């Protein structure tokens, strides 16, 4: 089965070499694996939390989309979309907000860090803290859970958010699932072998330290002048350098083949001057970036092309999200007032919703799509076989629902206590396990009642 891998990229800055090495390059590589279904999205609602500059956000969405495409992301094989084009995300966010303990959010690192800073400044704890910042882990949980992602590649700073997403998923499952796990519990993936790139000053390359080397913006000249500003020690040409204490070397290594890096290392030890070292670094990085930069500039000059790709991506994402949000709405009780399990009939029963048998779809451990039929009391009547294609599972479920009177033609009694259900002679579901023939007969009766 394919693993669903999902990650979000906050659109509040201009991509730099650290983003490329630490996130973009490995994610694009992962997306090419045959056993991976990648969902990569621009987390532009998240960007609103940190950035009040509307033009900056708009520009960043464009730059980041162009960057990922230029770096080789293939929108045909990946679901690449913008968060704000998928209204099911904020809708799910609200449902999750309503099952999330406030105490859980109180413990979020990002929020606590703001409180600590406020305490240190002697101002009110919540000074400058918006509800966006406070409840940001819930939005992130919605991003992940809506697509039932198995794996979520993130930086170490996001680990806590993944734990919170699991916690929130479990609460929802147990509160509304009635035996069904609506949400897969996602796992964080932190790769140990991906370099954390140092910036110009040797601290982690980060927009907040203002020590970045831009990836494409500024062109080849911008790259060269940023590399010229990398801080080195004062040893002159001919004096041996210490590669292990040189962030220039670490940046070089992130782009070099192992033999190349070893050679560069020995040259530094042998006294290579910093000026020459920077020239070599520049050539190495430029060789990898140049072809992509051409593509980037072409894309940036044609925003409608990017827009079209993102719209197609949103369409793909919503083909998964829309049916799922309907099931979730149903689960929490936001149901149509006519027909189906929602109907609340008669004055006398106004307060009590009428429970009916219901179908619930789910994905099994092997990634196959299945559905169950539950009795009005929530007892399992039958469970379908696994389908590779969710649409196929939906179609079969639809046929069963509309089979009405002819239930007896579909049911095949199996041995003493079992039964199965077949359509066109093919078994599509198996009755729940029973201890006795009477129990089995009761389930068959419940099936008949459910379908008529
Ligand atoms: N919060 C993440 C970050 O700052 C970005 C993000 C938003 C994300 N939603 C996500 C990452 C969902 C993974 C999954 O890096």
């Amino acid at each position: 089965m394919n693993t669903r891998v999902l990650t979000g990229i906050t659109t509040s800055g201009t991509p730099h070499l650290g983003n490329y090495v630490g996130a973009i390059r490995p994610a694009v590589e992962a997306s090419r694996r045959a056993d991976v279904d990648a969902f990569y999205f621009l987390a532009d609602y998240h960007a609103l939390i940190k950035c009040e500059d509307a033009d900056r956000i708009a520009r960043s969405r464009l730059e980041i989309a162009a960057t990922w495409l230029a770096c080789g992301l293939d929108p045909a094989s990946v679901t690449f979309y913008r968060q704000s084009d998928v209204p099911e995300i904020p809708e799910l966010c609200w449902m999750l907000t309503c099952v999330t303990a406030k105490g859980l959010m109180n413990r979020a690192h990002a929020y606590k860090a703001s409180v600590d800073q406020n305490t240190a400044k002697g101002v009110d704890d919540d000074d400058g803290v918006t509800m966006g910042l406070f409840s940001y882990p819930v939005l992130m949980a919605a991003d992940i859970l809506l697509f039932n992602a198995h794996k979520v590649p993130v930086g170490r700073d996001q680990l806590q958010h993944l734990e919170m997403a699991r916690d929130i998923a479990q609460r929802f499952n147990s509160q509304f699932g009635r035996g069904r796990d609506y949400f897969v519990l996602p796992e964080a993936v932190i790769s140990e072998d991906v370099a954390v790139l140092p910036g110009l000053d040797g601290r982690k390359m980060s927009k907040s330290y203002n020590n970045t080397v831009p990836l494409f913006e500024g062109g080849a000249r911008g790259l060269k002048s940023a590399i010229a500003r990398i801080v080195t020690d004062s040893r002159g040409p001919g004096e041996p350098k210490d590669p292990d204490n040189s962030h220039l070397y670490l940046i070089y290594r992130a782009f070099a083949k192992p033999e190349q890096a070893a050679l560069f290392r020995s040259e530094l030890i042998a006294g290579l001057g910093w000026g020459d070292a920077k020239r070599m670094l520049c050539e190495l990085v430029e060789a990898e970036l140049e072809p992509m930069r051409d593509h980037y500039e072409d894309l940036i000059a044609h925003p409608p092309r990017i827009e079209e790709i993102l719209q197609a991506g949103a369409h793909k994402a919503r083909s998964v999200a829309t049916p799922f949000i309907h099931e979730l709405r149903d689960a929490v009780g936001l149901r149509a007032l006519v027909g189906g399990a929602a109907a609340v009939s008669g004055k006398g029963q106004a307060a009590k919703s009428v429970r009916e048998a219901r179908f619930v779809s789910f994905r099994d451990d092997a990634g196959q799509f299945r559905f169950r039929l539950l009795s009005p009391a929530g007892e399992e009547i039958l469970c379908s076989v696994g389908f590779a294609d969710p649409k196929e599972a939906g179609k079969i479920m639809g046929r069963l629902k509309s089979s009405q009177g002819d239930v007896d033609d579909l049911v095949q009694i199996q041995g003493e206590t079992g039964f199965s259900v077949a359509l066109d002679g093919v078994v599509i579901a198996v009755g729940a396990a029973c201890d006795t023939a009477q129990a089995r007969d009761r389930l068959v009766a419940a099936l008949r009642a459910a379908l008529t």
Side-chain angles (χ1 to χ4, degrees):
M1 90 176 253
N2 277 7
T3 305
R4 200 172 270 188
V5 175
L6 175 145
T7 197
I9 311 112
T10 307
T11 54
S12 54
T14 294
H16 55 69
L17 279 194
N19 301 137
Y20 174 72
V21 168
I24 305 171
R25 192 170 61 182
V28 170
E29 270 165 26
S31 76
R32 297 202 175 113
R33 287 175 36 182
D35 58 344
V36 161
D37 282 336
F39 282 66
Y40 295 160
F41 70 97
L42 306 181
D44 51 359
Y45 282 140
H46 286 267
L48 299 182
I49 298 167
K50 312 184 194 169
C51 180
E52 291 161 20
D53 179 346
D55 294 335
R56 181 85 279 270
I57 301 235
R59 175 74 195 172
S60 176
R61 289 158 103 226
L62 176 69
E63 286 178 356
I64 292 181
T67 298
W68 281 71
L69 294 169
C71 290
L73 193 71
D74 175 9
S77 61
V78 172
T79 306
F80 183 52
Y81 56 101
R82 218 165 13 197
Q83 186 183 30
S84 63
D85 287 334
V86 181
E88 290 81 3
I89 295 172
E91 180 166 2
L92 176 58
C93 182
W94 183 252
M95 293 185 199
L96 298 180
T97 299
C98 295
V99 300
T100 302
K102 174 172 176 286
L104 184 69
M105 295 298 101
N106 287 342
R107 291 195 288 278
H109 298 320
Y111 168 65
K112 279 204 329 200
S114 300
V115 170
D116 289 348
Q117 281 169 17
N118 285 337
T119 313
K121 278 193 277 179
V123 296
D124 185 85
D125 273 4
D126 284 332
D127 194 57
V129 175
T130 64
M131 286 306 294
L133 174 70
F134 184 68
S135 51
Y136 146 80
V138 189
L139 179 56
M140 188 159 156
D143 295 333
I144 298 168
L145 301 180
L146 183 61
F147 295 100
N148 272 330
H150 304 106
K151 306 259 175 196
V152 183
V154 282
R156 198 165 282 289
D157 60 323
Q158 299 292 316
L159 256 186
Q160 190 197 30
H161 296 146
L162 260 293
E163 277 158 25
M164 290 175 161
R166 294 166 66 88
D167 194 318
I168 295 168
Q170 269 165 325
R171 273 175 197 247
F172 188 98
N173 286 342
S174 69
Q175 200 160 317
F176 296 112
R178 294 215 240 146
R180 167 178 174 190
D181 284 339
Y182 281 96
F183 298 126
V184 163
L185 302 187
E187 267 173 54
V189 185
I190 312 258
S191 26
E192 301 295 346
D193 53 343
V194 167
V196 173
L197 216 61
L200 298 176
D201 58 358
R203 290 184 293 174
K204 175 187 167 187
M205 189 178 290
S206 161
K207 187 177 53 133
S208 36
Y209 295 146
N210 199 16
N211 65 354
T212 64
V213 179
L215 182 58
F216 298 132
E217 284 294 309
R221 278 184 50 206
L223 179 71
K224 196 167 165 205
S225 79
I227 287 178
R229 281 181 285 121
I230 295 178
V231 176
T232 58
D233 63 26
S234 55
R235 279 173 235 193
E239 282 182 76
K241 315 288 187 299
D242 176 6
D244 298 316
N245 279 311
S246 157
H247 34 281
L248 191 146
Y249 171 69
L250 290 179
I251 301 175
Y252 190 94
R253 204 175 58 178
F255 285 86
K257 295 190 187 64
E259 328 67 88
Q260 241 176 336
L263 185 64
F264 189 64
R265 185 187 170 84
S266 54
E267 287 183 84
L268 283 172
I269 294 171
L272 180 71
W274 288 125
D276 286 336
K278 285 183 173 177
R279 197 177 35 72
M280 289 169 69
L281 173 62
C282 206
E283 275 166 20
L284 178 73
V285 175
E286 185 58 15
E288 183 162 335
L289 299 193
E290 193 194 39
M292 299 192 287
R293 189 188 297 117
D294 292 343
H295 189 185
Y296 175 81
E297 278 163 5
D298 191 34
L299 283 165
I300 281 280
H302 299 95
R305 277 193 218 155
I306 304 178
E307 184 64 32
E308 195 182 324
I309 290 170
L310 291 173
Q311 289 302 335
H315 186 75
K316 242 196 302 187
R318 294 192 70 193
S319 72
V320 178
T322 310
F324 191 37
I325 203 83
H326 282 302
E327 293 177 29
L328 296 170
R329 289 180 69 112
D330 187 69
V332 300
L334 304 178
R335 301 175 190 145
L337 296 183
V338 284
V344 177
S345 57
K347 259 193 179 157
Q349 297 181 17
K352 176 166 123 259
S353 70
V354 175
R355 291 196 163 185
E356 292 189 356
R358 53 200 291 264
F359 284 91
V360 289
S361 329
F362 68 103
R363 215 169 167 188
D364 66 20
D365 292 342
Q368 299 262 40
F369 295 88
R370 294 178 187 257
F371 58 83
R372 287 193 180 93
L373 175 61
L374 303 179
S375 75
E379 178 193 24
E380 178 173 328
I381 299 173
L382 56 77
C383 180
S384 78
V385 298
F387 299 91
D389 178 358
K391 287 201 202 95
E392 182 62 16
K395 216 165 71 191
I396 296 289
M397 187 163 91
R399 282 188 58 190
L400 202 53
K401 276 183 188 163
S402 57
S403 59
Q404 308 255 324
D406 13 309
V407 177
D408 295 320
D409 301 339
L410 312 179
V411 172
Q412 302 175 342
I413 298 299
Q414 309 275 339
E416 287 295 304
T417 59
F419 75 93
S420 59
V421 177
L423 287 174
D424 307 330
V426 179
V427 171
I428 52 97
V430 177
C434 293
D435 293 335
T436 62
Q438 286 87 338
R440 185 262 318 278
D441 295 344
R442 259 196 295 115
L443 281 191
V444 174
L447 172 64
R448 196 176 298 118
L451 297 184
T452 35

